[in-house]
Amino acid sequence: MAREIVWNYLQQYVKTKLAYRADFIIESIADLLYQAVSLAFVLIVFTQVPDIAGWTRDEIIGIVGYFMVPFALFNCLFRGSWYIRDQYIVEGQLDRVLIRPVNPLLQIYLEMIELEPLSGAVFGIALMGYARSRLGIELIWWEPLVFVILVAGSVLVYGGIFTALAATGFWAEGRSGVSPLIYNLTGYGRYPVSIYKGAVRWVLTWVIPFAFVGFYPGALFLRHDELALYAGLTPVVGLVIFALGYRYWLYGLSRYRGTGS
Amino acid sequence: MIEALGLTKEFRLFQRREGVMGAIRDLWDRDYQTVKAVDQIDLKVNRGEMVGYIGANGAGKSTTIKMLSGILVPSSGHLVVNGFVPHKERVEFCRRIGVVFGQRSQLWWDLAVSESFRLLSRVYRIPEPVYRQRLDRFVELLEMADFLHIPVRKLSLGQRMRCELTAALLHHPDLVFLDEPTIGLDVLAKDRIRRFLLEINRELGATVLLTTHDLSDIEALCSRVVMIDKGKIVYDGSLGNLQDSFGQGRTIKVDFSAPVSLAELQASFGHRPVHWETPESRRAIATFSAKEVAPAEVMKILIDQYPVLDIAIDATKIEEIVKEIYQGSVMV
């Protein structure tokens, strides 16, 4: 049943999107450019050094490529988390969501879905393919399946963290927030955590586990089997983080006070 | 249908200090003030009733409606609506209620009206033929055929409100909350919406709780009025009785054939609490409460003792009572 609702929302969404076709194309290109710039930065660094903490240029490209996939899916599916504080809590649109017989968080995320970022996922997969062919890695039959599972785990890590951050909007009275700060941290997940010093690495693994949205699972597809255990933990970390984020959201929701009028 | 006992909602308001130093102090030492938006109200509404819920801005109307519709979690008190505790069993509860917030759209801004309705029919799991039949009926009753294909954001307020009502009623809810459904509409549009609500209430037997600033909405629709002031229910009964309770003021305007002095009039009425004014030498205006002095007695004294030419008597109108209540000038 929930599946049918999701499908219906999506249908409607695509219909409105197609009404603004030019916007759609321009935004997709802008998104792609953003990804290209961050990749160019990596390539420039490698014109100066042969490797970073033992990781070669091609390996870094492969990890950045993996990172782009869950990152794109997150921006597509969980884009609503950016708008929860201002549009839903402060402006009171949550009232409308709360009187419909569908999970409120699901409604918000469905309403706010954005398809443009998906171009980044395509780009990311292409980068992984490029890196793997340069490194002479052949495709194994189970890899696509594992890829889907790990990407899902990575997306949930993001989704959980940003759902929790959005829920802080139930307390904070102003419009400022820590979200942009944390969002900037997400970039750290796309480089090998071994280049960071002890404390930072520990935080990125166990506190704000952004290493699970890029480095650990990405390394698996570059045959860094010494990190396979961490890579395998990705879905577990994703589920745990998302469950915690969702609980925190529910707790915040019970404190929702609406707006005047 | 609705059963609330000792229902209370408290808000903690953060008191900002003034100035830069104050803002810095606010960082660690916050001053809160607790406000009771709704204070220990008891409310029972039976199935099929249409109840008008009135009160000044900030009296607690919206907060009550939001608790009853499951949007806000009560601070304390017992609340069962349509067999559910609204905020606890939200999804199932929402399936059987309809809500219109006049000030805020329930529809999807970018979707065409008909697409919004279709999406809602899926959300509420209305079977296709039933949906078609209901929609046709609403389109006919509310004359919506002309703008079904237009995106919601392009509708006029009156058109949008008709769509909001349809959206809230398509699933034939047991209970409907209408928060200012006629706000900002012209007389014709208001009338159309009232006739529609009456028709629907008769057809579906839905319970309706209505808040409004327009008393004619209540006169047209509601047999019962509940009034809230400063978070407490101050009146619960029929509209007519509201007048009896608060509308006892009378004004008598008298024209005399010869000049009459103020002192003379005051002397004739002695200890009776009648307030006199004499704007002209041959005209006087008396104001008093019908509870304290019988209007007939005032008229008799006037006619017996003075050269009366003409008498006009006015009772305070319900509109005025409510206006006074809204302005907070009636002590309740």
Side-chain angles (χ1 to χ4, degrees):
Chain A
M1 193 58 231
R3 202 166 9 135
E4 196 193 319
I5 301 249
V6 169
W7 177 238
N8 282 306
Y9 266 90
L10 282 179
Q11 264 180 318
Q12 291 303 342
Y13 166 75
V14 172
K15 267 187 212 159
T16 51
K17 267 290 151 188
L18 291 181
Y20 306 96
R21 218 169 314 167
D23 283 10
F24 181 79
I25 293 166
I26 290 167
E27 279 175 42
S28 297
I29 293 172
D31 222 83
L32 212 54
L33 275 177
Y34 174 79
Q35 301 296 340
V37 167
S38 60
L39 180 70
F41 170 74
V42 175
L43 297 181
I44 289 167
V45 171
F46 276 100
T47 60
Q48 306 299 315
V49 293
D51 67 289
I52 298 177
W55 293 76
T56 65
R57 190 188 84 119
D58 290 331
E59 285 176 321
I60 299 279
I61 289 176
I63 285 171
V64 170
Y66 173 88
F67 165 83
M68 283 179 180
V69 180
F71 186 71
L73 285 171
F74 163 75
N75 280 319
C76 163
L77 299 171
F78 292 96
R79 181 173 153 269
S81 62
W82 285 101
Y83 299 88
I84 285 176
R85 176 198 297 267
D86 288 359
Q87 285 188 19
Y88 288 86
I89 298 174
V90 177
E91 265 178 41
Q93 283 210 47
L94 193 56
D95 289 1
R96 163 176 65 81
V97 169
L98 286 174
I99 55 161
R100 294 221 187 93
V102 178
N103 182 307
L105 191 62
L106 179 65
Q107 281 186 68
I108 294 175
Y109 286 151
L110 282 173
E111 283 178 9
M112 285 290 174
I113 272 182
E114 188 84 87
L115 294 180
E116 287 86 344
L118 290 183
S119 60
V122 176
F123 188 44
I125 291 172
L127 285 182
M128 283 178 80
Y130 165 81
R132 280 160 57 99
S133 75
R134 296 263 303 178
L135 295 165
I137 298 170
E138 303 271 318
L139 184 71
I140 308 174
W141 66 270
W142 51 261
E143 275 184 326
L145 183 70
V146 170
F147 179 68
V148 169
I149 295 171
L150 295 191
V151 165
S154 299
V155 174
L156 284 178
V157 170
Y158 267 137
I161 288 172
F162 282 91
T163 299
L165 284 174
T168 59
F170 287 113
W171 285 271
E173 311 227 343
R175 283 183 174 226
S176 65
V178 281
S179 297
L181 186 86
I182 304 281
Y183 191 74
N184 288 334
L185 270 182
T186 61
Y188 290 80
R190 72 186 131 184
Y191 306 116
V193 286
S194 40
I195 68 174
Y196 302 117
K197 289 279 172 278
V200 176
R201 185 195 304 188
W202 195 78
V203 166
L204 285 174
T205 305
W206 301 116
V207 184
I208 315 169
F210 283 147
F212 287 99
V213 299
F215 176 59
Y216 292 138
L220 186 74
F221 298 99
L222 302 169
R223 301 288 149 80
H224 273 272
D225 293 345
E226 78 278 9
L227 291 169
L229 182 66
Y230 283 102
L233 273 176
T234 304
V236 180
V237 173
L239 285 173
V240 168
I241 293 289
F242 192 78
L244 288 175
Y246 184 64
R247 288 294 293 269
Y248 188 64
W249 155 264
L250 286 182
Y251 177 53
L253 192 59
S254 72
R255 321 220 345 169
Y256 177 58
R257 44 203 290 178
T259 48
S261 90
Chain B
M1 179 54 71
I2 297 176
E3 201 183 282
L5 278 175
L7 191 63
T8 302
K9 181 71 187 177
E10 289 175 352
F11 289 126
R12 234 160 50 120
L13 290 183
F14 169 37
Q15 304 281 303
R16 282 181 201 280
R17 292 187 181 83
E18 283 174 23
V20 178
M21 289 315 286
I24 293 170
R25 227 188 119 194
D26 278 342
L27 288 177
W28 70 88
D29 177 19
R30 294 199 154 187
D31 223 2
Y32 289 102
Q33 193 191 354
T34 305
V35 177
K36 283 187 175 167
V38 172
D39 190 4
Q40 298 271 337
I41 65 166
D42 300 335
L43 182 65
K44 205 172 153 123
V45 177
N46 295 318
R47 195 168 288 273
E49 264 191 297
M50 280 183 110
V51 178
Y53 193 51
I54 59 177
N57 288 328
K61 273 181 310 197
S62 287
T63 307
T64 314
I65 295 254
K66 284 178 183 177
M67 281 193 281
L68 296 181
S69 55
I71 293 171
L72 295 184
V73 180
S75 306
S76 63
H78 162 86
L79 178 65
V80 175
V81 182
N82 202 14
F84 294 98
V85 177
H87 70 274
K88 280 194 184 148
E89 303 150 279
R90 181 163 11 236
V91 170
E92 276 314 303
F93 171 71
C94 286
R95 215 170 272 296
R96 305 298 316 145
I97 65 162
V99 185
V100 172
F101 291 118
Q103 321 241 38
R104 184 169 294 134
S105 182
Q106 314 290 307
L107 302 162
W108 289 270
W109 218 231
D110 289 323
L111 293 188
V113 175
S114 56
E115 306 274 13
S116 271
F117 291 160
R118 175 157 299 277
L119 191 47
L120 283 173
S121 80
R122 300 285 159 77
V123 168
Y124 289 99
R125 303 178 196 168
I126 307 170
E128 180 67 20
V130 179
Y131 163 69
R132 284 250 60 99
Q133 195 189 337
R134 286 182 190 172
L135 186 62
D136 288 348
R137 177 97 178 97
F138 284 123
V139 168
E140 182 202 321
L141 276 175
L142 288 168
E143 297 162 46
M144 298 191 296
D146 293 341
F147 51 86
L148 275 180
H149 57 280
I150 297 179
V152 174
R153 69 189 138 79
K154 288 188 181 163
L155 298 179
S156 75
L157 185 60
Q159 291 171 331
R160 208 200 78 207
M161 205 57 82
R162 283 181 264 166
C163 296
E164 302 281 352
L165 282 168
T166 307
L169 294 167
L170 261 179
H171 55 291
H172 282 188
D174 300 328
L175 174 63
V176 185
F177 297 101
L178 304 171
D179 195 1
E180 304 279 0
T182 58
I183 197 160
L185 301 184
D186 63 45
V187 181
L188 269 173
K190 278 184 184 182
D191 189 52
R192 196 201 318 254
I193 283 181
R194 285 176 199 146
R195 275 187 285 124
F196 169 75
L197 287 173
L198 276 178
E199 178 80 29
I200 287 299
N201 174 251
R202 203 172 50 225
E203 231 176 83
L204 308 183
T207 311
V208 176
L209 191 67
L210 167 83
T211 79
T212 181
H213 267 80
D214 186 344
L215 207 68
S216 44
D217 282 347
I218 292 184
E219 273 177 328
L221 297 170
C222 303
S223 49
R224 178 176 162 200
V225 178
V226 175
M227 191 159 73
I228 185 167
D229 190 53
K230 298 188 187 79
K232 288 182 183 290
I233 286 180
V234 292
Y235 178 80
D236 185 348
S238 72
L239 193 59
N241 284 338
L242 179 68
Q243 186 153 23
D244 292 346
S245 309
F246 300 102
Q248 292 298 303
R250 296 287 186 276
T251 307
I252 291 182
K253 213 192 288 174
V254 209
D255 286 326
F256 305 106
S257 54
V260 170
S261 80
L262 185 61
E264 236 179 307
L265 285 165
Q266 282 166 341
S268 331
F269 284 86
H271 63 277
R272 294 181 188 86
V274 177
H275 174 78
W276 283 100
E277 276 169 81
T278 48
E280 293 165 40
S281 64
R282 292 168 187 230
R283 171 174 286 182
I285 296 169
T287 47
F288 57 95
S289 162
K291 263 188 197 156
E292 295 164 335
V293 187
E297 192 187 353
V298 178
M299 303 234 270
K300 188 168 189 310
I301 293 172
L302 283 170
I303 291 166
D304 286 353
Q305 302 182 11
Y306 295 92
V308 174
L309 268 183
D310 190 10
I311 289 188
I313 180 161
D314 273 324
T316 315
K317 290 196 182 70
I318 294 176
E319 281 81 5
E320 284 159 17
I321 303 165
V322 172
K323 200 154 98 193
E324 285 173 17
I325 290 162
Y326 277 125
Q327 289 164 349
S329 59
V330 164
M331 287 298 130
V332 285

